[in-house]
Amino acid sequence: MMTREAVLLSLLFCLAAAGEAVSLVSQGEAAELAVSVDPSWRFPSQRLRDAYLALQTWKQQAIFSDPRGFTADWVGPGVCNYTGVFCAPLPRGVPGAGELSVAGVDLNHGDIAGYLPTELGLLADLSLLHLNSNRFCGLVPATLRRLRLLVELDLSNNRLVGPFPAVVLDLPALKFLDLRFNEFEGAIPPELFDRPLDAIFLNHNRLRSPLPDNLGNSPASVIVLADNSFGGCLPASIGNMSGTLNEILLINDGLDSCVPPEVGLLREVTVFDVSFNSLVGPLPQQVAGMRKVEQLDVAHNRLSGSVPEAICDLPRLKNLTIAYNFFTGEPPSCARVVPRGGDTKNCLPSRPAQRTPQQCAAFYSQPPVDCASFQCKPFVPVPPLPPPPPSYPGPLPPVYPMPYASPPPPAHYR
């Protein structure tokens, strides 16, 4: 991850470069364009002319290096033939239905250096924007809120900075949000978890402030928030995700509370990883309610007491990692699911590679953990809402062999 000084230099460079380009002004006003259009060209529609202006401004004004030549053929009015640009008819139910438009831009793994110009707001018909594994820096432009049909936004593995980009909260059709491996700072807005997102990837940023108490409002099936600096409570509202959540990874987030028993309500979860935090107290018996969990990792915390036997007996559990805690009991049935070294550095009698008796005695000489002292917000059940109607009824444009081309989380998180 970049140092703070490097982040500042990157931001100053991007802002200086952006200041040289002419920005798009608010909708309804005349805009001075950063590129010219050959008057002899005839575009099939205004929306394709707007797409030309957006893409050419990006190439000519905001891309400084394109070592793999992704934008080399971005020449002329035929934007549907540009590399990484995909056109499709607009879906039924939206203005201009059936009209050809730029529905997707995919520059994944381009190693392109530059920034995201405000003119990208002219690509109002996009349903996907994939820009992962490049060197885009600076801020996410607020004009992206014009992308009312955007389903997938992947800005991961870049050099983007600033507070959490609130513009993503204004995208009504958004389902996939991937902002991992950037330099976003500050708090996650609670509104994020009220959006109808299916996947949220925010790991490896500089996000701080406790997780919002409404985390459990999210209908997402995958949430990866690892390697940030949240601190505070693991919200009990997570129990309200019982019917939708499949994977959640909160690795190395500085969480310092008890594990709320409501995690046992996650009947659909297959991966639950809260390792490398400062969680304390027992591992709740209610965790045995995770009937579909396959990977359960609570290593590198300060958990204590005995591992409930019912957890080790979970029918689909394949990997239970409890290393580097202060557990004193591990039922024999756990041998089936604890990998080699998966229970080291605890206080388990007759198990190898444990903490010293002095370390265990010092830990257990302290007063018992009072989970109420953390003052975490109590669990409030939320009645399930009916599924919302699809915001983008048309098919997504083809991008490689898969409809969602972004990579899965790194192997460390699987």
Side-chain angles (χ1 to χ4, degrees), residues 297-338:
D297 194 338
V298 297
H300 290 268
N301 282 285
R302 296 176 61 81
L303 300 171
S304 56
S306 294
V307 177
E309 184 171 9
I311 295 177
C312 295
D313 292 339
L314 283 167
R316 299 191 184 182
L317 186 61
K318 300 176 181 177
N319 187 313
L320 171 64
T321 306
I322 61 172
Y324 287 87
N325 281 286
F326 291 87
F327 288 115
T328 56
E330 181 183 9
S333 60
C334 293
R336 176 185 66 88
V337 293
V338 175

mmCIF file of all heavy atoms in Angstrom, residues 297-338:
data_model
loop_
_atom_site.group_PDB
_atom_site.id
_atom_site.type_symbol
_atom_site.label_atom_id
_atom_site.label_comp_id
_atom_site.label_asym_id
_atom_site.label_seq_id
_atom_site.Cartn_x
_atom_site.Cartn_y
_atom_site.Cartn_z
ATOM 1 N N ASP A 297 -12.860 -18.902 10.384
ATOM 2 C CA ASP A 297 -11.529 -18.491 10.833
ATOM 3 C C ASP A 297 -11.663 -17.388 11.871
ATOM 4 O O ASP A 297 -12.148 -16.284 11.568
ATOM 5 C CB ASP A 297 -10.702 -18.001 9.642
ATOM 6 C CG ASP A 297 -9.211 -17.890 9.969
ATOM 7 O OD1 ASP A 297 -8.861 -17.787 11.164
ATOM 8 O OD2 ASP A 297 -8.399 -17.909 9.021
ATOM 9 N N VAL A 298 -11.256 -17.692 13.093
ATOM 10 C CA VAL A 298 -11.258 -16.707 14.182
ATOM 11 C C VAL A 298 -9.855 -16.548 14.756
ATOM 12 O O VAL A 298 -9.679 -16.074 15.884
ATOM 13 C CB VAL A 298 -12.252 -17.101 15.284
ATOM 14 C CG1 VAL A 298 -13.673 -17.119 14.755
ATOM 15 C CG2 VAL A 298 -11.888 -18.450 15.906
ATOM 16 N N ALA A 299 -8.831 -16.945 14.005
ATOM 17 C CA ALA A 299 -7.452 -16.916 14.488
ATOM 18 C C ALA A 299 -6.984 -15.491 14.760
ATOM 19 O O ALA A 299 -7.532 -14.517 14.247
ATOM 20 C CB ALA A 299 -6.536 -17.583 13.467
ATOM 21 N N HIS A 300 -5.950 -15.393 15.598
ATOM 22 C CA HIS A 300 -5.295 -14.122 15.903
ATOM 23 C C HIS A 300 -6.283 -13.114 16.481
ATOM 24 O O HIS A 300 -6.452 -12.007 15.982
ATOM 25 C CB HIS A 300 -4.623 -13.562 14.642
ATOM 26 C CG HIS A 300 -3.426 -14.363 14.201
ATOM 27 N ND1 HIS A 300 -2.144 -14.097 14.598
ATOM 28 C CD2 HIS A 300 -3.348 -15.464 13.408
ATOM 29 C CE1 HIS A 300 -1.312 -14.976 14.049
ATOM 30 N NE2 HIS A 300 -2.025 -15.826 13.330
ATOM 31 N N ASN A 301 -6.940 -13.533 17.550
ATOM 32 C CA ASN A 301 -7.776 -12.659 18.354
ATOM 33 C C ASN A 301 -7.415 -12.882 19.819
ATOM 34 O O ASN A 301 -6.294 -13.319 20.125
ATOM 35 C CB ASN A 301 -9.260 -12.939 18.079
ATOM 36 C CG ASN A 301 -9.744 -12.313 16.780
ATOM 37 O OD1 ASN A 301 -9.950 -11.116 16.707
ATOM 38 N ND2 ASN A 301 -9.907 -13.141 15.742
ATOM 39 N N ARG A 302 -8.335 -12.610 20.721
ATOM 40 C CA ARG A 302 -8.112 -12.850 22.155
ATOM 41 C C ARG A 302 -9.302 -13.617 22.749
ATOM 42 O O ARG A 302 -9.756 -13.345 23.850
ATOM 43 C CB ARG A 302 -7.888 -11.525 22.887
ATOM 44 C CG ARG A 302 -6.632 -10.793 22.439
ATOM 45 C CD ARG A 302 -6.474 -9.440 23.117
ATOM 46 N NE ARG A 302 -6.372 -9.551 24.575
ATOM 47 C CZ ARG A 302 -5.254 -9.862 25.228
ATOM 48 N NH1 ARG A 302 -4.129 -10.100 24.544
ATOM 49 N NH2 ARG A 302 -5.245 -9.926 26.545
ATOM 50 N N LEU A 303 -9.796 -14.567 21.968
ATOM 51 C CA LEU A 303 -10.939 -15.353 22.393
ATOM 52 C C LEU A 303 -10.511 -16.370 23.451
ATOM 53 O O LEU A 303 -9.355 -16.820 23.484
ATOM 54 C CB LEU A 303 -11.565 -16.053 21.198
ATOM 55 C CG LEU A 303 -12.079 -15.113 20.091
ATOM 56 C CD1 LEU A 303 -12.492 -15.903 18.858
ATOM 57 C CD2 LEU A 303 -13.239 -14.271 20.604
ATOM 58 N N SER A 304 -11.459 -16.750 24.294
ATOM 59 C CA SER A 304 -11.121 -17.587 25.445
ATOM 60 C C SER A 304 -12.212 -18.627 25.675
ATOM 61 O O SER A 304 -13.231 -18.672 24.979
ATOM 62 C CB SER A 304 -10.945 -16.709 26.687
ATOM 63 O OG SER A 304 -12.103 -15.923 26.918
ATOM 64 N N GLY A 305 -11.987 -19.480 26.696
ATOM 65 C CA GLY A 305 -12.946 -20.523 27.023
ATOM 66 C C GLY A 305 -12.769 -21.736 26.128
ATOM 67 O O GLY A 305 -11.716 -21.944 25.518
ATOM 68 N N SER A 306 -13.811 -22.526 26.024
ATOM 69 C CA SER A 306 -13.774 -23.751 25.226
ATOM 70 C C SER A 306 -14.479 -23.541 23.887
ATOM 71 O O SER A 306 -15.459 -22.798 23.799
ATOM 72 C CB SER A 306 -14.445 -24.900 25.978
ATOM 73 O OG SER A 306 -13.709 -25.240 27.134
ATOM 74 N N VAL A 307 -13.987 -24.228 22.882
ATOM 75 C CA VAL A 307 -14.656 -24.227 21.580
ATOM 76 C C VAL A 307 -15.889 -25.124 21.692
ATOM 77 O O VAL A 307 -15.768 -26.300 22.053
ATOM 78 C CB VAL A 307 -13.725 -24.757 20.476
ATOM 79 C CG1 VAL A 307 -14.461 -24.827 19.141
ATOM 80 C CG2 VAL A 307 -12.474 -23.885 20.367
ATOM 81 N N PRO A 308 -17.077 -24.613 21.439
ATOM 82 C CA PRO A 308 -18.281 -25.447 21.545
ATOM 83 C C PRO A 308 -18.217 -26.654 20.599
ATOM 84 O O PRO A 308 -17.893 -26.508 19.416
ATOM 85 C CB PRO A 308 -19.418 -24.497 21.165
ATOM 86 C CG PRO A 308 -18.887 -23.127 21.467
ATOM 87 C CD PRO A 308 -17.425 -23.207 21.133
ATOM 88 N N GLU A 309 -18.542 -27.817 21.133
ATOM 89 C CA GLU A 309 -18.467 -29.031 20.327
ATOM 90 C C GLU A 309 -19.420 -28.967 19.139
ATOM 91 O O GLU A 309 -19.119 -29.494 18.054
ATOM 92 C CB GLU A 309 -18.793 -30.247 21.197
ATOM 93 C CG GLU A 309 -18.647 -31.580 20.481
ATOM 94 C CD GLU A 309 -18.770 -32.759 21.419
ATOM 95 O OE1 GLU A 309 -19.140 -32.552 22.598
ATOM 96 O OE2 GLU A 309 -18.487 -33.885 20.974
ATOM 97 N N ALA A 310 -20.557 -28.313 19.306
ATOM 98 C CA ALA A 310 -21.534 -28.235 18.219
ATOM 99 C C ALA A 310 -20.972 -27.518 17.004
ATOM 100 O O ALA A 310 -21.403 -27.772 15.866
ATOM 101 C CB ALA A 310 -22.805 -27.544 18.697
ATOM 102 N N ILE A 311 -20.004 -26.624 17.196
ATOM 103 C CA ILE A 311 -19.387 -25.929 16.063
ATOM 104 C C ILE A 311 -18.547 -26.918 15.254
ATOM 105 O O ILE A 311 -18.620 -26.969 14.023
ATOM 106 C CB ILE A 311 -18.542 -24.738 16.549
ATOM 107 C CG1 ILE A 311 -19.449 -23.680 17.193
ATOM 108 C CG2 ILE A 311 -17.743 -24.138 15.393
ATOM 109 C CD1 ILE A 311 -18.706 -22.496 17.776
ATOM 110 N N CYS A 312 -17.763 -27.716 15.953
ATOM 111 C CA CYS A 312 -16.927 -28.696 15.244
ATOM 112 C C CYS A 312 -17.760 -29.765 14.553
ATOM 113 O O CYS A 312 -17.275 -30.429 13.626
ATOM 114 C CB CYS A 312 -15.953 -29.345 16.230
ATOM 115 S SG CYS A 312 -14.760 -28.173 16.922
ATOM 116 N N ASP A 313 -18.996 -29.942 14.977
ATOM 117 C CA ASP A 313 -19.867 -30.957 14.380
ATOM 118 C C ASP A 313 -20.689 -30.426 13.214
ATOM 119 O O ASP A 313 -21.516 -31.163 12.660
ATOM 120 C CB ASP A 313 -20.813 -31.523 15.448
ATOM 121 C CG ASP A 313 -20.075 -32.347 16.494
ATOM 122 O OD1 ASP A 313 -18.954 -32.812 16.200
ATOM 123 O OD2 ASP A 313 -20.615 -32.517 17.612
ATOM 124 N N LEU A 314 -20.488 -29.168 12.843
ATOM 125 C CA LEU A 314 -21.263 -28.615 11.731
ATOM 126 C C LEU A 314 -21.046 -29.465 10.481
ATOM 127 O O LEU A 314 -19.903 -29.789 10.120
ATOM 128 C CB LEU A 314 -20.858 -27.164 11.470
ATOM 129 C CG LEU A 314 -21.424 -26.138 12.464
ATOM 130 C CD1 LEU A 314 -20.723 -24.801 12.325
ATOM 131 C CD2 LEU A 314 -22.921 -25.989 12.267
ATOM 132 N N PRO A 315 -22.110 -29.802 9.767
ATOM 133 C CA PRO A 315 -22.000 -30.825 8.716
ATOM 134 C C PRO A 315 -21.145 -30.439 7.525
ATOM 135 O O PRO A 315 -20.541 -31.297 6.893
ATOM 136 C CB PRO A 315 -23.462 -31.059 8.303
ATOM 137 C CG PRO A 315 -24.183 -29.808 8.700
ATOM 138 C CD PRO A 315 -23.502 -29.348 9.944
ATOM 139 N N ARG A 316 -21.069 -29.151 7.186
ATOM 140 C CA ARG A 316 -20.330 -28.747 5.995
ATOM 141 C C ARG A 316 -18.981 -28.110 6.325
ATOM 142 O O ARG A 316 -18.248 -27.712 5.418
ATOM 143 C CB ARG A 316 -21.158 -27.786 5.154
ATOM 144 C CG ARG A 316 -22.465 -28.390 4.649
ATOM 145 C CD ARG A 316 -23.113 -27.498 3.611
ATOM 146 N NE ARG A 316 -24.410 -28.009 3.182
ATOM 147 C CZ ARG A 316 -25.169 -27.442 2.259
ATOM 148 N NH1 ARG A 316 -24.772 -26.322 1.671
ATOM 149 N NH2 ARG A 316 -26.343 -27.969 1.919
ATOM 150 N N LEU A 317 -18.655 -28.001 7.597
ATOM 151 C CA LEU A 317 -17.417 -27.339 7.994
ATOM 152 C C LEU A 317 -16.206 -28.153 7.547
ATOM 153 O O LEU A 317 -16.089 -29.335 7.853
ATOM 154 C CB LEU A 317 -17.399 -27.138 9.507
ATOM 155 C CG LEU A 317 -16.229 -26.318 10.060
ATOM 156 C CD1 LEU A 317 -16.231 -24.906 9.477
ATOM 157 C CD2 LEU A 317 -16.308 -26.252 11.596
ATOM 158 N N LYS A 318 -15.305 -27.479 6.823
ATOM 159 C CA LYS A 318 -14.087 -28.127 6.330
ATOM 160 C C LYS A 318 -12.828 -27.568 6.982
ATOM 161 O O LYS A 318 -11.803 -28.250 7.017
ATOM 162 C CB LYS A 318 -13.979 -27.960 4.807
ATOM 163 C CG LYS A 318 -15.127 -28.569 4.027
ATOM 164 C CD LYS A 318 -14.991 -28.259 2.539
ATOM 165 C CE LYS A 318 -16.150 -28.839 1.749
ATOM 166 N NZ LYS A 318 -16.071 -28.486 0.296
ATOM 167 N N ASN A 319 -12.900 -26.323 7.441
ATOM 168 C CA ASN A 319 -11.706 -25.682 7.971
ATOM 169 C C ASN A 319 -12.096 -24.760 9.118
ATOM 170 O O ASN A 319 -12.800 -23.766 8.913
ATOM 171 C CB ASN A 319 -11.003 -24.890 6.860
ATOM 172 C CG ASN A 319 -9.657 -24.343 7.289
ATOM 173 O OD1 ASN A 319 -9.512 -23.759 8.354
ATOM 174 N ND2 ASN A 319 -8.649 -24.522 6.439
ATOM 175 N N LEU A 320 -11.657 -25.102 10.313
ATOM 176 C CA LEU A 320 -11.847 -24.273 11.501
ATOM 177 C C LEU A 320 -10.465 -23.873 12.004
ATOM 178 O O LEU A 320 -9.674 -24.728 12.401
ATOM 179 C CB LEU A 320 -12.606 -25.030 12.584
ATOM 180 C CG LEU A 320 -12.688 -24.338 13.957
ATOM 181 C CD1 LEU A 320 -13.467 -23.033 13.862
ATOM 182 C CD2 LEU A 320 -13.312 -25.263 14.997
ATOM 183 N N THR A 321 -10.167 -22.587 11.966
ATOM 184 C CA THR A 321 -8.860 -22.091 12.400
ATOM 185 C C THR A 321 -9.050 -21.224 13.636
ATOM 186 O O THR A 321 -9.770 -20.223 13.592
ATOM 187 C CB THR A 321 -8.175 -21.289 11.284
ATOM 188 O OG1 THR A 321 -8.122 -22.087 10.099
ATOM 189 C CG2 THR A 321 -6.768 -20.901 11.684
ATOM 190 N N ILE A 322 -8.394 -21.632 14.734
ATOM 191 C CA ILE A 322 -8.561 -20.940 16.023
ATOM 192 C C ILE A 322 -7.214 -20.522 16.618
ATOM 193 O O ILE A 322 -7.147 -20.131 17.784
ATOM 194 C CB ILE A 322 -9.320 -21.826 17.025
ATOM 195 C CG1 ILE A 322 -8.543 -23.117 17.289
ATOM 196 C CG2 ILE A 322 -10.728 -22.125 16.528
ATOM 197 C CD1 ILE A 322 -9.114 -23.973 18.408
ATOM 198 N N ALA A 323 -6.144 -20.594 15.851
ATOM 199 C CA ALA A 323 -4.796 -20.330 16.356
ATOM 200 C C ALA A 323 -4.664 -18.915 16.912
ATOM 201 O O ALA A 323 -5.398 -18.000 16.535
ATOM 202 C CB ALA A 323 -3.770 -20.556 15.246
ATOM 203 N N TYR A 324 -3.711 -18.753 17.823
ATOM 204 C CA TYR A 324 -3.374 -17.458 18.408
ATOM 205 C C TYR A 324 -4.580 -16.820 19.097
ATOM 206 O O TYR A 324 -4.966 -15.689 18.806
ATOM 207 C CB TYR A 324 -2.787 -16.526 17.341
ATOM 208 C CG TYR A 324 -1.374 -16.917 16.946
ATOM 209 C CD1 TYR A 324 -1.168 -17.860 15.948
ATOM 210 C CD2 TYR A 324 -0.270 -16.378 17.585
ATOM 211 C CE1 TYR A 324 0.118 -18.245 15.576
ATOM 212 C CE2 TYR A 324 1.024 -16.752 17.224
ATOM 213 C CZ TYR A 324 1.213 -17.687 16.222
ATOM 214 O OH TYR A 324 2.479 -18.071 15.871
ATOM 215 N N ASN A 325 -5.163 -17.576 20.003
ATOM 216 C CA ASN A 325 -6.175 -17.075 20.923
ATOM 217 C C ASN A 325 -5.798 -17.546 22.320
ATOM 218 O O ASN A 325 -4.607 -17.783 22.603
ATOM 219 C CB ASN A 325 -7.566 -17.571 20.496
ATOM 220 C CG ASN A 325 -8.143 -16.767 19.342
ATOM 221 O OD1 ASN A 325 -8.560 -15.637 19.518
ATOM 222 N ND2 ASN A 325 -8.156 -17.366 18.143
ATOM 223 N N PHE A 326 -6.782 -17.702 23.194
ATOM 224 C CA PHE A 326 -6.530 -18.202 24.545
ATOM 225 C C PHE A 326 -7.537 -19.291 24.910
ATOM 226 O O PHE A 326 -7.973 -19.390 26.055
ATOM 227 C CB PHE A 326 -6.579 -17.044 25.554
ATOM 228 C CG PHE A 326 -5.427 -16.079 25.429
ATOM 229 C CD1 PHE A 326 -5.486 -15.013 24.542
ATOM 230 C CD2 PHE A 326 -4.269 -16.258 26.165
ATOM 231 C CE1 PHE A 326 -4.430 -14.132 24.411
ATOM 232 C CE2 PHE A 326 -3.203 -15.381 26.042
ATOM 233 C CZ PHE A 326 -3.275 -14.314 25.159
ATOM 234 N N PHE A 327 -7.898 -20.103 23.939
ATOM 235 C CA PHE A 327 -8.843 -21.189 24.201
ATOM 236 C C PHE A 327 -8.216 -22.213 25.148
ATOM 237 O O PHE A 327 -7.024 -22.529 25.060
ATOM 238 C CB PHE A 327 -9.252 -21.870 22.890
ATOM 239 C CG PHE A 327 -10.158 -21.045 22.018
ATOM 240 C CD1 PHE A 327 -9.729 -20.594 20.777
ATOM 241 C CD2 PHE A 327 -11.442 -20.710 22.447
ATOM 242 C CE1 PHE A 327 -10.569 -19.842 19.964
ATOM 243 C CE2 PHE A 327 -12.281 -19.950 21.641
ATOM 244 C CZ PHE A 327 -11.840 -19.511 20.406
ATOM 245 N N THR A 328 -9.067 -22.752 26.024
ATOM 246 C CA THR A 328 -8.613 -23.758 26.984
ATOM 247 C C THR A 328 -9.211 -25.136 26.727
ATOM 248 O O THR A 328 -8.789 -26.107 27.356
ATOM 249 C CB THR A 328 -8.987 -23.327 28.420
ATOM 250 O OG1 THR A 328 -10.408 -23.102 28.488
ATOM 251 C CG2 THR A 328 -8.263 -22.048 28.806
ATOM 252 N N GLY A 329 -10.173 -25.229 25.840
ATOM 253 C CA GLY A 329 -10.807 -26.509 25.554
ATOM 254 C C GLY A 329 -11.104 -26.675 24.085
ATOM 255 O O GLY A 329 -11.536 -25.725 23.417
ATOM 256 N N GLU A 330 -10.844 -27.891 23.572
ATOM 257 C CA GLU A 330 -11.078 -28.205 22.169
ATOM 258 C C GLU A 330 -11.599 -29.640 22.089
ATOM 259 O O GLU A 330 -10.845 -30.588 22.321
ATOM 260 C CB GLU A 330 -9.793 -28.065 21.357
ATOM 261 C CG GLU A 330 -9.956 -28.353 19.871
ATOM 262 C CD GLU A 330 -8.621 -28.258 19.137
ATOM 263 O OE1 GLU A 330 -7.564 -28.141 19.796
ATOM 264 O OE2 GLU A 330 -8.645 -28.317 17.900
ATOM 265 N N PRO A 331 -12.882 -29.845 21.828
ATOM 266 C CA PRO A 331 -13.442 -31.197 21.792
ATOM 267 C C PRO A 331 -12.728 -32.091 20.778
ATOM 268 O O PRO A 331 -12.220 -31.600 19.757
ATOM 269 C CB PRO A 331 -14.904 -30.964 21.398
ATOM 270 C CG PRO A 331 -15.176 -29.548 21.762
ATOM 271 C CD PRO A 331 -13.896 -28.821 21.563
ATOM 272 N N PRO A 332 -12.680 -33.398 21.021
ATOM 273 C CA PRO A 332 -12.013 -34.319 20.078
ATOM 274 C C PRO A 332 -12.577 -34.240 18.666
ATOM 275 O O PRO A 332 -11.838 -34.442 17.697
ATOM 276 C CB PRO A 332 -12.269 -35.696 20.705
ATOM 277 C CG PRO A 332 -12.488 -35.420 22.155
ATOM 278 C CD PRO A 332 -13.156 -34.096 22.233
ATOM 279 N N SER A 333 -13.854 -33.939 18.530
ATOM 280 C CA SER A 333 -14.446 -33.878 17.183
ATOM 281 C C SER A 333 -13.864 -32.764 16.335
ATOM 282 O O SER A 333 -14.013 -32.761 15.101
ATOM 283 C CB SER A 333 -15.964 -33.705 17.296
ATOM 284 O OG SER A 333 -16.288 -32.501 17.988
ATOM 285 N N CYS A 334 -13.171 -31.818 16.960
ATOM 286 C CA CYS A 334 -12.567 -30.716 16.196
ATOM 287 C C CYS A 334 -11.404 -31.191 15.333
ATOM 288 O O CYS A 334 -11.023 -30.504 14.377
ATOM 289 C CB CYS A 334 -12.094 -29.617 17.136
ATOM 290 S SG CYS A 334 -13.422 -28.743 18.013
ATOM 291 N N ALA A 335 -10.829 -32.338 15.656
ATOM 292 C CA ALA A 335 -9.695 -32.844 14.876
ATOM 293 C C ALA A 335 -10.062 -33.027 13.409
ATOM 294 O O ALA A 335 -9.197 -32.955 12.530
ATOM 295 C CB ALA A 335 -9.208 -34.156 15.474
ATOM 296 N N ARG A 336 -11.328 -33.237 13.140
ATOM 297 C CA ARG A 336 -11.789 -33.431 11.759
ATOM 298 C C ARG A 336 -11.688 -32.160 10.937
ATOM 299 O O ARG A 336 -11.484 -32.210 9.709
ATOM 300 C CB ARG A 336 -13.247 -33.916 11.788
ATOM 301 C CG ARG A 336 -13.903 -34.068 10.413
ATOM 302 C CD ARG A 336 -15.377 -34.440 10.542
ATOM 303 N NE ARG A 336 -16.168 -33.383 11.141
ATOM 304 C CZ ARG A 336 -16.741 -32.384 10.448
ATOM 305 N NH1 ARG A 336 -16.590 -32.317 9.142
ATOM 306 N NH2 ARG A 336 -17.455 -31.459 11.074
ATOM 307 N N VAL A 337 -11.800 -31.006 11.570
ATOM 308 C CA VAL A 337 -11.930 -29.751 10.823
ATOM 309 C C VAL A 337 -10.808 -28.761 11.084
ATOM 310 O O VAL A 337 -10.669 -27.789 10.334
ATOM 311 C CB VAL A 337 -13.290 -29.086 11.133
ATOM 312 C CG1 VAL A 337 -14.429 -29.914 10.580
ATOM 313 C CG2 VAL A 337 -13.463 -28.837 12.624
ATOM 314 N N VAL A 338 -10.017 -28.959 12.128
ATOM 315 C CA VAL A 338 -8.914 -28.040 12.417
ATOM 316 C C VAL A 338 -7.691 -28.497 11.635
ATOM 317 O O VAL A 338 -7.211 -29.620 11.824
ATOM 318 C CB VAL A 338 -8.604 -27.996 13.920
ATOM 319 C CG1 VAL A 338 -7.364 -27.127 14.180
ATOM 320 C CG2 VAL A 338 -9.793 -27.440 14.692
#
